[in-house]
Amino acid sequence: MSPNEDRLVRNTTLTVMALVVLRLVAAAWTPLTFDEAYYWIWSKHLAFGYYDHPPGVALVIRLGTMIAGDTELGVRLISILLALPMSFAVFRTAEILFGRRVAANATILLNVTLMAAVGTLIVTPDSPLLVTSSFVLFFLAKVLESGRGAWWLAVGVATGLALASKYTAMFFGPAIVIWLISVPKLRRWFASPWLYLGGLTALAVFSPVILWNADHHWVSFIKQLGRSEVIQFKPAFIGELIPTQIAFATPFVFVLGAMGLYALSRRDGGALASRALVNAMFWTITLYFLWHSLHARVEANWFAPVYPPLAIAAAAAVDVTLWGRRSQRVVNFCLRWASPVGIVMFACLILQANTGILTGFRRDATVRSVGVGWRTLAANIEATRARVGASCVLAPDYGTASWLTFYLPKGTCVIQPTQRIRWVNMDEPDPAKLSGKLLWVDEVRASIQPYVAQTFAKVGRVGEFKRMRGPLVIETYALDLLEQPKRPVLDNSPPPELQ
């Protein structure tokens, strides 16, 4: 390794580590989102599947809380640290395909996107998916570089782990087939047992998730795969998709990525096998979600597995020779400003989510999902629960139930009495705790919830408390004392998708 290359690797490593430290600081400061609190409960009851997703996110949180405890940092610790192996995989992939300079740029460009910064800070199934998808790409590059069939087993392991993180990874199979077909010299793998052994390896790694679903009425598969059903076309959703991806990629990385994907579609954009791999891994998933957006909303984080190939394409845009003088100036400008702009956007987002100061303390997209104000609110709820002698706290939805479980004193009985399929891996609550006084916590509404009216003969308001972010009232919660149940407190009716 030359001195220049050594310096390039060292600077890239230091940059990634500095960004990881920044995320760790933000993680310790920022309250949990309701989804994170929900997944944290999963981590206390590890299983091979859950109602919403496979188990990858629960294991990631469990490992973090074993180190740093049941804190915001503990919940997020391993997810943030996964950026380190993710960065290694992207660096090595880009180095194999396009060289070391592209590798360094790709690694940094990926880490300054909000998809990587927020996507590893806020722990969701996309966190382990992002790192496993990076390794799928890396091991495919190793297949290309070495020509050795044994690397297909590594591809299988990475794909199986990706599937155990989120079912979006099912698109890796078609993407790999498209790559092999589009490159004549790679078609020989269709006659090799290694390719099929890799597929069987992926199936073996993923098989516990399949078995869990088989034992639970295929509920997780039905819930997630049911999203693909086309009920009616609503093309307006595509108008949401593009701006959110520009924001999640950050504007300059998005421009570089678009230019890089264009460059990799041309013969003078590099070797065919390298170009085809990046394009197949990017476009197979992207085209599906573009189609999906014609009839349903596509959440910004769903694109997580295409960001490693997008970052490599963005970095490749810098090194190709096909640009004219004006286009090259655009590339150079975007590369110069991509990192500082991405870091500033991340810092502003964290500052806004925690304080609201950047919008003058008005409402924004983060205000309901991030649990700012929950510590104070939970203290008021606990004081009321103790005062009225309630043995258990009930909540109408999984988000409120999860926040209550995390922020109320450890061991407090908290239950979502409906949608019990969400809690199928947890022990059923002690019947004795459901036979006395119960405290219902819900947002203030014009009328009482049907479940409450149909289940309890006596309902009385015992308090109202506001969740605040600075001077902004996010929500006002009503606390109702429930007594004299007329039917079982737990509603075990199946969800609509299983009826």
Side-chain angles (χ1 to χ4, degrees), residues 295 310 388 392 409:
H295 65 87
L310 176 67
V388 300
C392 199

Side-chain angles (χ1 to χ4, degrees), residues 235-431:
F237 286 125
I238 200 169
E240 298 178 6
L241 184 152
I242 294 173
T244 57
Q245 288 311 308
I246 292 174
F248 264 60
T250 69
F252 293 131
V253 176
F254 185 89
V255 171
L256 284 173
M259 295 180 73
L261 290 167
Y262 168 74
L264 296 182
S265 70
R266 298 169 58 97
R267 290 188 176 182
D268 49 356
L272 172 60
S274 299
R275 294 186 288 112
L277 177 57
V278 172
N279 276 307
M281 296 299 284
F282 178 85
W283 286 111
T284 304
I285 295 175
T286 298
L287 289 175
Y288 169 76
F289 282 134
L290 286 171
W291 173 81
H292 189 92
S293 69
L294 295 176
H295 65 87
R297 177 171 285 108
V298 175
E299 301 295 339
N301 57 294
W302 293 1
F303 279 85
V306 310
Y307 269 68
L310 176 67
I312 293 173
V318 179
D319 271 26
V320 297
T321 58
L322 58 88
W323 307 123
R325 184 177 300 175
R326 180 176 299 177
S327 295
Q328 190 63 53
R329 283 202 298 266
V330 171
V331 168
N332 294 339
F333 180 84
C334 289
L335 181 64
R336 183 181 306 115
W337 288 101
S339 293
V341 168
I343 293 169
V344 169
M345 287 180 66
F346 173 73
C348 288
L349 180 61
I350 296 302
L351 179 64
Q352 174 65 18
N354 281 278
T355 69
I357 193 171
L358 298 182
T359 58
F361 304 105
R362 292 190 292 271
R363 302 185 77 83
D364 60 72
T366 69
V367 73
R368 285 180 65 86
S369 59
V370 178
V372 174
W374 256 101
R375 288 197 182 279
T376 301
L377 176 63
N380 290 327
I381 292 171
E382 172 60 16
T384 303
R385 185 200 66 77
R387 175 173 58 83
V388 300
S391 57
C392 199
V393 179
L394 306 187
D397 58 87
Y398 79 90
T400 304
S402 300
W403 265 330
L404 286 164
T405 304
F406 188 84
Y407 286 109
L408 284 175
K410 187 176 182 179
T412 302
C413 174
V414 179
I415 298 171
Q416 181 191 4
T418 58
Q419 296 184 329
R420 295 302 300 164
I421 190 67
R422 290 186 178 277
W423 315 99
V424 68
N425 295 317
M426 296 68 168
D427 295 332
E428 283 293 287
D430 182 356

Side-chain angles (χ1 to χ4, degrees), residues 7-20 23 83-84 86-92 94 100-117 248-250 252-254 256 307-308 310-316 318 334-343 346:
R7 184 165 53 252
L8 188 66
V9 172
R10 184 173 62 253
N11 290 342
T12 302
T13 302
L14 291 174
T15 300
V16 171
M17 292 180 68
L19 292 172
V20 166
R23 292 170 203 160
L84 299 175
M86 175 195 75
S87 299
F88 166 80
V90 169
F91 185 96
R92 288 290 293 123
R100 183 155 290 170
R101 195 165 82 125
V102 172
N105 285 331
T107 305
I108 293 173
L109 289 173
L110 175 59
N111 274 278
V112 298
T113 64
L114 292 186
M115 181 65 78
F248 264 60
T250 69
F252 293 131
V253 176
F254 185 89
L256 284 173
Y307 269 68
L310 176 67
I312 293 173
V318 179
C334 289
L335 181 64
R336 183 181 306 115
W337 288 101
S339 293
V341 168
I343 293 169
F346 173 73

Side-chain angles (χ1 to χ4, degrees), residues 449-473:
Q449 289 267 38
Y451 161 81
V452 174
Q454 295 165 9
T455 307
F456 296 93
K458 187 176 180 181
V459 180
R461 182 68 43 92
V462 292
E464 289 188 9
F465 299 102
K466 294 177 171 57
R467 180 160 80 95
M468 308 288 293
R469 187 177 72 181
L472 174 69
V473 177

Side-chain angles (χ1 to χ4, degrees), residues 192-217:
S192 168
W194 287 110
L195 175 64
Y196 306 101
L197 287 172
L200 290 174
T201 301
L203 182 62
V205 172
F206 183 57
S207 61
V209 182
I210 299 174
L211 294 175
W212 183 92
N213 271 275
D215 287 340
H216 295 85
H217 310 288

Side-chain angles (χ1 to χ4, degrees), residues 214-236:
D215 287 340
H216 295 85
H217 310 288
W218 307 102
V219 61
S220 183
F221 288 165
I222 291 171
K223 176 176 173 58
Q224 294 299 336
L225 299 181
R227 295 176 184 272
S228 61
E229 181 182 3
V230 180
I231 299 175
Q232 61 178 326
F233 283 99
K234 296 180 180 179

Side-chain angles (χ1 to χ4, degrees), residues 46-203:
L46 292 178
F48 286 116
Y50 300 88
Y51 170 64
D52 309 77
H53 292 290
V57 65
L59 181 59
V60 166
I61 293 174
R62 179 66 170 267
L63 292 174
T65 55
M66 288 172 64
I67 298 169
D70 292 321
T71 62
E72 285 88 350
L73 179 60
V75 169
R76 295 161 170 160
L77 178 62
I78 298 301
S79 176
I80 294 172
L81 294 180
L82 284 176
L84 299 175
M86 175 195 75
S87 299
F88 166 80
V90 169
F91 185 96
R92 288 290 293 123
T93 302
E95 185 179 33
I96 291 168
L97 299 181
F98 299 107
R100 183 155 290 170
R101 195 165 82 125
V102 172
N105 285 331
T107 305
I108 293 173
L109 289 173
L110 175 59
N111 274 278
V112 298
T113 64
L114 292 186
M115 181 65 78
V118 177
T120 57
L121 169 66
I122 303 299
V123 191
T124 69
D126 297 293
S127 304
L129 177 62
L130 193 55
V131 67
T132 51
S133 63
S134 300
F135 276 91
V136 172
L137 193 59
F138 170 46
F139 293 140
L140 289 171
K142 290 298 292 182
V143 169
L144 176 63
E145 179 190 44
S146 69
R148 294 178 56 195
W151 281 107
W152 283 111
L153 301 181
V155 172
V157 171
T159 302
L161 292 174
L163 285 165
S165 301
K166 197 172 183 181
Y167 300 137
T168 311
M170 76 175 87
F171 289 102
F172 290 157
I176 292 169
V177 170
I178 291 169
W179 176 53
L180 296 178
I181 291 174
S182 62
V183 182
K185 71 176 184 178
L186 297 180
R187 294 172 191 164
R188 68 182 180 87
W189 288 114
F190 288 115
S192 168
W194 287 110
L195 175 64
Y196 306 101
L197 287 172
L200 290 174
T201 301
L203 182 62

